[in-house]
Amino acid sequence: MIDDIKDLSLIQKQKKLKRRSLSSAFWKTFPLAFVASVGMSLFGIMITGEFLEAFTIARAFETAGRIATSVFIMIAMFFSVHSFAHEEKFLVRNFTLVTIIVAMTYMACMATVYFFNVYIMPISLVSLILLVLTNRKTSLIATCGTALFILISFISPNKLETTLNIYGIIASIVCNLVAAVCVNSLASKHYTRLKFLVMSAVAAFVSVPLVVITTLAIGDVSLNIVYNLAWSYGGNVGAVLLSLPLCAIFEGIFNIADDFKLNELTALSHPLLKRLASEAPGTFNHSLVVGNLAEACAEAIGENPHLARCAAYYHDVGKLKAPVYFSENQSNYNPHDELIPEVSASMITSHTLFGEILAKKYRLPKEIISICREHHGTTPVGYFYRKALSLTEDGDLPSVDYVYSGPKPQSKVAAIIMIADTIEATCRSFMPDVKEEFVAMVDRLVGEKLNLGQFDECPITLDDLNKIKETIIDVLPSVHHSRVSYDKRK
Ligand SMILES: [Fe+2]
Ligand SMILES: [Fe+2]
């Protein structure tokens, strides 16, 4: 019952925050989306060679209607995409990407239709790029949006319709949309780059029978079937081949943590990880263990395990500023013995801030930078606060100088890192050898964070927290190479 009430207040707080960030993200992305919608409409009109005619009094109403429909589709895409990005900054980034890539693919489709063949539309380009750079659902919404943009460009009497059969255009949109949806469903960004290319090309093969059926259905039984087949499959394969270089370009421009980039970052050859290994070996070792735990926890609750492992590797890079002030890097000398507790606490808490600065300097993806800053939330450094308290005369001391500056975890992966980090650090100094004690310790550590409200700003549920605890209880003893007896007392 208590758990239900906690979960309810957590959900209410999260809903309130989400509403606020949704409206802010909308106004940040709307100007570009508006310009793209108008630009696409004008490009569609221009490529049909009717630009001047479209602005005559007779056609002005139709042109305005076409632009308004484009803007409406763009707004609808924003509200469809928003539920798949939990933080405002990621929603802004994802929708900006959607806007640019949809507009780019739309223009490529219109140009290829007009200059080559109606069946060549490379709609799968939007599907593939957004699958890698955002997520499957966002990519699917953008793919359908692109098909709609193309469709409305042809639903009015114009020159293109007279030269290009409208049924052929609709058939082509259907074939290439289905191929793009299949590519979206069958390809996975968790593949290697080569497997991604091969799977996408194989998935695009679905357009072959569809092109034959639709060409026959519109009454064309000539050699055009073979040409249409070649153009359609060629368009899809062209989209597949173009997708990877374009992904790399957008990945660089938007600094995105897609799986290809995450795999590069976790290869231990990154200069920042090399520095961590040589200058703060204790922290490096701790980060690797947290990486194993975080990856397993992310898999258990359906989050991205690559992101969780990568974020864990880099979460404590801020300790590079002064490694010796952190217990895992100390041997015989403890510099805190010579410092007043307030200074010690500030040395410890500043590692999240310095981590954020260092991660930005090394151009790590935004997701990782946020986790460097958020992984301790606004928790207190209890040891030094108690030490300072014992030195006061009246036993009263404000705790403000002894807490991390936050913010609290904003994503489920940040919450996973917070939990895995705390539990690993605690077990490093004391690993219970009885399973019941270990379970109680994990329960207590997660309960403390929950009671401090550290999960109030991320969409994690109590069910997720239970799965994370179960996973850590299963995985951590094997990572530490220790055996936890089921009940030593028996
Ligand atoms: Fe930390
Ligand atoms: Fe840590």
Side-chain angles (χ1 to χ4, degrees):
M1 185 67 186
I2 291 168
D3 278 358
D4 287 348
I5 292 166
K6 271 185 194 162
D7 218 11
L8 195 67
S9 67
L10 226 146
I11 289 165
Q12 279 168 346
K13 277 183 193 169
Q14 287 162 358
K15 273 186 181 169
K16 212 173 174 182
L17 280 164
K18 201 160 186 185
R19 269 199 300 274
R20 206 178 300 158
S21 67
L22 178 65
S23 128
S24 164
F26 179 80
W27 292 114
K28 279 180 187 165
T29 52
F30 185 70
L32 179 68
F34 181 78
V35 170
S37 314
V38 175
M40 279 192 282
S41 306
L42 296 181
F43 184 84
I45 295 167
M46 192 182 71
I47 209 152
T48 60
E50 295 190 319
F51 198 74
L52 293 175
E53 206 182 304
F55 293 97
T56 57
I57 295 171
R59 297 279 300 273
F61 190 70
E62 181 200 319
T63 307
R66 195 182 286 190
I67 293 173
T69 313
S70 296
V71 175
F72 176 77
I73 295 173
M74 208 47 119
I75 293 173
M77 280 206 296
F78 174 85
F79 285 101
S80 312
V81 159
H82 92 270
S83 43
F84 310 115
H86 297 302
E87 281 183 64
E88 185 189 323
K89 61 186 165 198
F90 298 127
L91 176 56
V92 170
R93 188 188 67 190
N94 282 3
F95 193 65
T96 305
L97 264 169
V98 166
T99 308
I100 295 171
I101 290 160
V102 165
M104 199 184 74
T105 309
Y106 168 84
M107 289 180 187
C109 289
M110 293 300 287
T112 48
V113 165
Y114 192 68
F115 293 114
F116 298 101
N117 180 290
V118 286
Y119 277 91
I120 199 175
M121 286 180 201
I123 301 178
S124 20
L125 194 59
V126 72
S127 192
L128 287 163
I129 299 176
L130 290 173
L131 173 67
V132 173
L133 299 182
T134 60
N135 52 63
R136 202 178 291 279
K137 286 172 184 165
T138 299
S139 153
L140 199 60
I141 290 161
T143 306
C144 297
T146 311
L148 267 179
F149 280 122
I150 298 168
L151 188 64
I152 61 161
S153 300
F154 294 109
I155 315 177
S156 69
N158 58 41
K159 279 182 192 167
L160 193 61
E161 269 188 31
T162 55
T163 51
L164 302 171
N165 187 332
I166 184 70
Y167 298 112
I169 290 166
I170 293 173
S172 166
I173 293 174
V174 171
C175 293
N176 289 299
L177 177 63
V178 172
V181 170
C182 284
V183 165
N184 179 283
S185 315
L186 297 177
S188 167
K189 59 180 179 180
H190 303 311
Y191 293 154
T192 59
R193 286 179 206 250
L194 184 65
K195 198 173 175 193
F196 179 81
L197 279 174
V198 173
M199 280 306 292
S200 308
V202 169
F205 204 72
V206 77
S207 66
V208 169
L210 280 170
V211 172
V212 175
I213 294 166
T214 51
T215 311
L216 290 174
I218 57 177
D220 191 347
V221 285
S222 63
L223 205 63
N224 279 343
I225 294 178
V226 180
Y227 292 136
N228 292 346
L229 265 178
W231 282 117
S232 175
Y233 193 66
N236 281 311
V237 170
V240 172
L241 293 176
L242 264 178
S243 64
L244 281 187
L246 285 172
C247 279
I249 292 168
F250 284 108
E251 176 195 289
I253 296 171
F254 286 85
N255 201 8
I256 293 171
D258 65 44
D259 282 17
F260 302 135
K261 173 109 179 182
L262 291 172
N263 287 338
E264 284 165 17
L265 289 174
T266 46
L268 304 184
S269 54
H270 191 277
L272 197 49
L273 284 184
K274 280 186 172 173
R275 268 190 70 188
L276 198 66
S278 68
E279 294 171 38
T283 304
F284 177 72
N285 206 357
H286 154 76
S287 303
L288 295 187
V289 179
V290 175
N292 284 333
L293 291 181
E295 185 182 58
C297 293
E299 257 168 25
I301 64 165
E303 285 295 305
N304 183 350
H306 300 267
L307 176 62
R309 177 179 280 277
C310 189
Y313 281 13
Y314 290 89
H315 78 285
D316 270 342
V317 288
K319 291 182 179 177
L320 279 170
K321 189 181 181 186
V324 76
Y325 285 87
F326 298 88
S327 59
E328 68 269 23
N329 300 314
Q330 292 164 1
S331 46
N332 298 322
Y333 170 64
N334 182 357
H336 294 292
D337 293 340
E338 296 161 12
L339 296 174
I340 58 166
E342 197 179 345
V343 175
S344 291
S346 98
M347 291 300 298
I348 299 286
T349 54
S350 65
H351 85 271
T352 54
L353 249 165
F354 187 65
E356 186 188 25
I357 294 167
L358 209 53
K360 278 183 184 164
K361 191 179 156 195
Y362 280 81
R363 287 208 82 236
L364 295 185
K366 274 183 186 165
E367 288 86 345
I368 310 289
I369 297 172
S370 304
I371 291 172
C372 287
R373 184 71 195 263
E374 294 162 12
H375 73 277
H376 287 286
T378 53
T379 52
V381 191
Y383 174 78
F384 290 109
Y385 180 67
R386 284 191 296 276
K387 193 174 167 186
L389 210 56
S390 70
L391 298 174
T392 57
E393 285 177 3
D394 53 359
D396 186 29
L397 183 73
S399 61
V400 66
D401 293 327
Y402 297 87
V403 294
Y404 284 95
S405 56
K408 293 173 181 176
Q410 303 290 308
S411 62
K412 286 190 183 186
V413 175
I416 289 174
I417 302 295
M418 173 181 262
I419 296 169
D421 180 38
T422 310
I423 296 174
E424 203 287 322
T426 309
C427 289
R428 196 162 272 265
S429 52
F430 171 67
M431 182 73 186
D433 53 4
V434 177
K435 179 156 184 178
E436 286 77 3
E437 281 176 22
F438 179 52
V439 172
M441 189 187 82
V442 169
D443 259 338
R444 177 176 58 78
L445 291 170
V446 175
E448 277 171 11
K449 303 290 180 204
L450 189 64
N451 292 333
L452 285 167
Q454 297 302 310
F455 307 126
D456 286 1
E457 293 175 14
C458 69
I460 205 156
T461 63
L462 285 176
D463 186 42
D464 291 332
L465 291 178
N466 286 333
K467 284 181 186 158
I468 289 170
K469 285 193 279 187
E470 282 164 19
T471 308
I472 290 180
I473 289 163
D474 277 350
V475 176
L476 189 58
S478 59
V479 172
H480 269 296
H481 301 292
S482 56
R483 276 187 190 192
V484 178
S485 112
Y486 278 83
D487 192 349
K488 207 178 179 186
R489 285 159 297 187
K490 280 180 191 168

